[in-house]
Amino acid sequence: QLYSEYGNKAIKPEAQLNAETGLQYFLASKKMNARLAYFGRQLKDVLFFYTDPVSYRSQYINQDRQNDRGLELDVNYTGFKNSSIKFFYNYVQGKIRTKDAAGKDTSFSNLLRRPKHSAVITVNTLIKKRLNLGTSINFTDSRKDRYFDAVNFQSVETTLKAYVLIGLYADYGFLNNRLMAF
């Protein structure tokens, strides 16, 4: 951002303040633990790629303030004979504060490429002494994105659809589980 062809030696580095607090619980039998955390993040002097609509001159500038916050839930359970389950959920909100075309402060939701909701559940099972099988289901909520339209020379906002990924995993141990094939 300083020295590229669009560089601007007058820009300031982004400054960020992060805070996280939470609770963690362990079952006495140690077969389950759960963690709930709240996080907050404040950024100022957010870097922005700006193109002047009249001269088409482009460069990096400091423009906005970004405020994000959210919750994370993480649960692990190993109380089954040969299996374990892990669950993770994330919720995030983001607002950006910027100036509109008239120079007035405005704020709006801004989670570009970041979903509000995401979750993962993973199950692992030890089939035999050396063979482990696992599966995971990952959910990613819909989210906003932008792309450059080369026909109209404009940035276009779009919504990317939510999706689910299913993963399968296996590993087998050799040499007393000192060598793993997965």
Side-chain angles (χ1 to χ4, degrees):
Q1 287 89 1
L2 292 172
Y3 301 106
S4 76
E5 64 182 291
Y6 305 106
N8 177 358
K9 293 180 184 176
I11 60 174
K12 301 176 203 169
E14 290 181 343
Q16 188 172 152
L17 176 65
N18 295 307
E20 184 172 330
T21 187
L23 299 169
Q24 190 160 7
Y25 175 77
F26 294 92
L27 203 60
S29 65
K30 297 185 181 180
K31 292 180 180 180
M32 186 193 90
N33 70 69
R35 181 183 67 88
L36 179 65
Y38 169 83
F39 62 89
R41 180 173 43 236
Q42 295 179 347
L43 287 88
K44 70 176 188 175
D45 295 324
V46 174
L47 296 175
F48 180 75
F49 187 76
Y50 173 76
T51 301
D52 185 302
V54 176
S55 69
Y56 297 107
R57 183 174 182 274
S58 299
Q59 69 177 8
Y60 289 99
I61 62 171
N62 294 109
Q63 181 174 344
D64 305 318
R65 291 180 174 269
Q66 176 77 33
N67 294 317
D68 300 330
R69 63 178 187 226
L71 292 170
E72 292 179 353
L73 173 65
D74 193 356
V75 179
N76 297 310
Y77 184 76
T78 58
F80 303 112
K81 183 177 179 184
N82 292 322
S83 297
S84 66
I85 295 177
K86 294 180 180 181
F87 173 76
F88 175 79
Y89 171 75
N90 188 53
Y91 171 77
V92 64
Q93 287 184 328
K95 284 209 179 272
I96 195 162
R97 193 172 81 210
T98 189
K99 295 193 183 293
D100 64 14
K104 182 181 175 188
D105 275 349
T106 184
S107 69
F108 55 90
S109 178
N110 178 43
L111 290 176
L112 198 63
R113 298 184 193 97
R114 291 180 289 171
K116 263 190 181 181
H117 305 277
S118 58
V120 178
I121 188 165
T122 303
V123 178
N124 284 304
T125 303
L126 187 63
I127 301 296
K128 294 194 174 194
K129 189 175 180 182
R130 298 184 205 175
L131 177 63
N132 180 54
L133 297 178
T135 187
S136 65
I137 300 171
N138 299 307
F139 168 74
T140 300
D141 198 9
S142 61
R143 62 238 173 268
K144 300 287 185 189
D145 198 0
R146 288 192 187 122
Y147 66 92
F148 181 73
D149 184 342
V151 175
N152 297 323
F153 299 105
Q154 293 181 0
S155 183
V156 177
E157 188 168 289
T158 188
T159 300
L160 302 175
K161 293 180 182 179
Y163 64 91
V164 173
L165 291 176
I166 298 174
L168 301 173
Y169 174 83
D171 65 45
Y172 189 83
F174 298 95
L175 303 172
N176 292 326
N177 285 336
R178 292 185 311 212
L179 177 66
M180 302 293 288
F182 56 92

